[in-house]
Amino acid sequence: MAPGLPGFTIVGLADTALQEARERVRGAIRNSGYEYPPRRITVNLAPADLRKSGASLDLAIALGILVGSEQVVANGRWAVLGELSLGGDLRPIPGLLPMVDALSRRRVSRVVVPLGGLAEAGLAVGIDVVAAATLAEAAAILRESRRGKSRIRPRRVELAADPSAEEEPVPSARADNDHSDAEPGPDLAEVRGQLEARRAMEIALAGGHCMVMIGPPGSGKTLLARTIPGLLPPLDDDEALVATVIASVSGTEPIGGLVRTRPFRAPHHTISHVAMVGGGPHMSPGEVTLANHGVLFLDELPEFDRSTLEALRQPLEDGQVAIARVGRAAVFPARFQLIAAMNPCPCGHAGEGDGRCRCGPGIVARYSGRISGPLRDRIDLWVHMPRVEPREYVAGAAPEGSALVGARIARARRRQIERGNQENCRLRGRTLKAACRLGAAEQAHAIRLAELEGWSARGIERLLRVARTAADLAGCEAVEGHHLDEAARFRSLSWQRAGLEAAG
Ligand SMILES: [Zn+2]
């Protein structure tokens, strides 16, 4: 603060929302019973070369001015975070949890956050979190802390006092704080017929395999996909913390506790590239990150923009996505499982054998060809879903429900984690071979299958990964011949493959 003509300047690469902090801070100070100092005010945001965005620094700027003009005296080091309204109310901000967590790692011992963000910020450990509803309350917290006694009772959450908590950031004692508000979707028992597809789905979810369902409209592809949320086990502690941070950064809904529900994201095929992979002016996470540790379901796969589909290859390979924008770069987690559905051709009836398809063979091939070879290489399971015959609706035996199948999936996942702390879909090379424990007869059988189908080494790896999951579902230590046969069945869509190969 300097003498001279009254003014308010923010320097240090502030974006528009941050520049507008001047108006919010001025209004908030006046409306909170303080004097707005008639001096030349310069707010310097360091480091100067790092772009700053959003409104999370409002409270810090306002309190800086109040301390600088000696209206508020603060004792010790405080971190303060929050957006101000013109009236002086403190509002929650996106990304509160990772910010408070970062402060804790930098040995900042206490932080003031907006009251609406208390539950979220309280998930960070090793830092005292105090909430304020207004600028005046935040100023009072700083002032009171100096006198060592409190006239107003700061709202705070009780934090685990365990010093080793930094290693284990999510004490299970907070489990009652978890929230799960996603609807589970229809039960698997509602899916009639489609035994092959049901089995493929069970294997895919148990091993984290990517899967594509191909069938005409009305064959139940979308219904089957909608049963996925009810089949997935909840996130474990580490996964839940990451999911909560992602939800915090995306800022779409208030966070009342740890996010425990495994994500199921189903963006429409008109989705933009940025919305899929992330980025944009605020470097927001995209669908691939929102689906981290969960399922990304793409209905009508060939209808997606081709470059958007190609952008899925890197995260499918690395489990993360790198985003670059002018002057900034970020890496977000993107360990998702791709499950997709598509019609066999533009009209939807190719392969039905009833003459209803009016698409020429070239058109069928070109339709499948919109999914590039490298992307197809990432798909472990292909399943054909024919139309369900009326008698299957009426006379078919009652199929297994989600509770039963979900329990098998959870058991198979546990076996994988216990064996090698890795999902089967991530197994490669020697690790994969070791995990399969093929006997001599099974090895010969795998080679025979591969020769029969003309598979490359990568094709055999896909076969083994899926067979490993089939064995895990059955509780078998070693992969047996019938597991290999079952895995091979989900690779051999002969009519479809002919189309795919014709398309190159
Ligand atoms: Zn057709």
Side-chain angles (χ1 to χ4, degrees):
M1 316 228 336
L5 276 178
F8 191 167
T9 317
I10 297 177
V11 297
L13 278 186
D15 75 351
T16 315
L18 190 44
Q19 286 294 348
E20 286 168 355
R22 289 181 297 186
E23 305 311 319
R24 292 190 297 272
V25 164
R26 200 164 10 220
I29 286 178
R30 284 187 179 137
N31 290 315
S32 301
Y34 294 102
E35 186 206 6
Y36 183 77
R39 308 176 70 183
R40 198 149 60 83
I41 300 167
T42 307
V43 174
N44 180 27
L45 305 174
D49 60 344
L50 181 73
R51 188 169 295 279
K52 294 99 187 163
S53 65
S56 56
L57 298 176
D58 285 6
L59 180 61
I61 293 172
L63 285 171
I65 290 172
L66 292 180
V67 170
S69 57
E70 293 172 353
Q71 300 181 74
V72 170
V73 184
N75 186 31
R77 284 179 84 203
W78 277 93
V80 296
L81 291 165
E83 174 180 342
L84 285 170
S85 74
L86 289 172
D89 291 330
L90 207 45
R91 292 172 171 164
I93 47 173
L96 193 56
L97 173 56
M99 282 191 254
V100 172
D101 187 54
L103 288 168
S104 167
R105 284 170 206 282
R106 285 167 188 240
R107 311 250 171 252
V108 176
S109 58
R110 43 196 192 169
V111 60
V112 179
V113 302
L115 183 57
L118 179 61
E120 176 184 340
L123 294 168
V125 293
I127 185 165
D128 232 357
V129 179
V130 184
T134 61
L135 171 60
E137 252 186 64
I141 288 166
L142 266 60
R143 202 168 40 221
E144 294 304 318
S145 71
R146 178 171 166 264
R147 294 184 192 155
K149 58 178 183 180
S150 208
R151 251 186 318 193
I152 67 157
R153 279 181 63 82
R155 304 173 180 92
R156 58 176 75 228
V157 284
E158 289 311 318
L159 294 162
D162 180 4
S164 71
E166 211 165 39
E167 304 296 322
E168 195 68 71
V170 190
S172 51
R174 289 207 196 124
D176 56 343
N177 210 12
D178 300 354
H179 80 168
S180 67
D181 49 9
E183 47 181 295
D187 194 280
L188 197 56
E190 290 175 38
V191 180
R192 293 284 161 155
Q194 304 297 7
L195 296 182
E196 284 277 305
R198 289 168 58 100
R199 177 65 182 165
M201 180 69 82
E202 182 175 335
I203 293 174
L205 296 181
H209 306 284
C210 296
M211 170 174 126
V212 173
M213 300 176 270
I214 305 171
S219 56
K221 306 187 293 279
T222 313
L223 176 64
L224 185 57
R226 284 176 52 226
T227 66
I228 292 173
L231 293 170
L232 292 170
L235 297 168
D236 69 25
D237 286 354
D238 291 344
E239 293 169 339
L241 188 68
V242 175
T244 310
V245 168
I246 291 169
S248 167
V249 172
S250 71
T252 45
E253 55 184 275
I255 291 167
L258 276 181
V259 175
R260 283 280 175 187
T261 313
R262 207 166 279 277
F264 175 76
R265 306 289 304 183
H268 191 256
H269 61 75
T270 53
I271 187 173
S272 73
H273 193 271
V274 163
M276 183 70 98
V277 300
H282 299 295
M283 298 292 271
S284 315
E287 290 292 334
V288 294
T289 298
L290 296 172
N292 188 51
H293 291 310
V295 169
L296 179 68
F297 174 62
L298 303 183
D299 206 355
E300 305 190 60
L301 187 63
E303 303 294 332
F304 282 77
D305 181 65
R306 188 158 177 158
S307 73
T308 303
L309 288 185
E310 289 306 290
L312 300 178
R313 279 165 52 191
Q314 185 217 349
L316 279 172
E317 190 71 14
D318 309 335
Q320 56 187 31
V321 65
I323 303 155
R325 258 183 71 80
V326 191
R328 298 174 76 188
V331 174
F332 289 144
R335 184 164 287 227
F336 64 91
Q337 174 182 1
L338 175 66
I339 294 187
M342 60 185 280
N343 292 339
C345 66
C347 86
H349 298 288
E352 292 289 287
D354 58 0
R356 278 174 76 190
C357 176
R358 299 276 170 229
C359 311
I363 292 174
V364 175
R366 213 175 321 142
Y367 193 66
S368 316
R370 286 158 88 163
I371 302 143
S372 74
L375 183 59
R376 264 182 265 142
D377 262 355
R378 310 264 178 273
I379 312 290
D380 282 344
L381 293 135
W382 296 86
V383 62
H384 181 219
M385 293 180 71
R387 248 181 332 194
V388 180
E389 299 300 328
R391 72 182 147 78
E392 274 188 281
Y393 273 111
V394 183
E400 287 180 327
S402 291
L404 201 62
V405 178
R408 271 205 303 270
I409 289 171
R411 242 186 344 259
R413 283 187 176 236
R414 270 200 305 276
R415 289 180 65 89
Q416 294 162 52
I417 300 305
E418 282 162 15
R419 182 171 54 233
N421 201 23
Q422 212 170 18
E423 292 178 285
N424 287 344
C425 63
R426 309 249 159 221
L427 296 176
R428 301 275 184 282
R430 211 176 298 170
T431 327
L432 173 61
K433 265 188 213 160
C436 287
R437 297 187 176 195
L438 293 179
E442 287 75 21
Q443 279 185 23
H445 189 63
I447 292 167
R448 219 166 29 244
L449 281 170
E451 283 172 353
L452 203 67
E453 303 285 343
W455 286 329
S456 62
R458 270 191 304 193
I460 299 172
E461 289 215 321
R462 275 196 296 268
L463 176 84
L464 291 181
R465 281 197 291 269
V466 173
R468 180 61 262 178
T469 302
D472 282 328
L473 281 165
C476 298
E477 287 298 317
V479 170
E480 295 162 15
H482 60 103
H483 302 134
L484 294 168
D485 288 336
E486 182 170 39
R489 211 163 66 225
F490 294 119
R491 297 294 313 155
S492 315
L493 288 169
S494 50
W495 60 273
Q496 180 67 25
R497 205 173 58 230
L500 293 173
E501 274 158 13

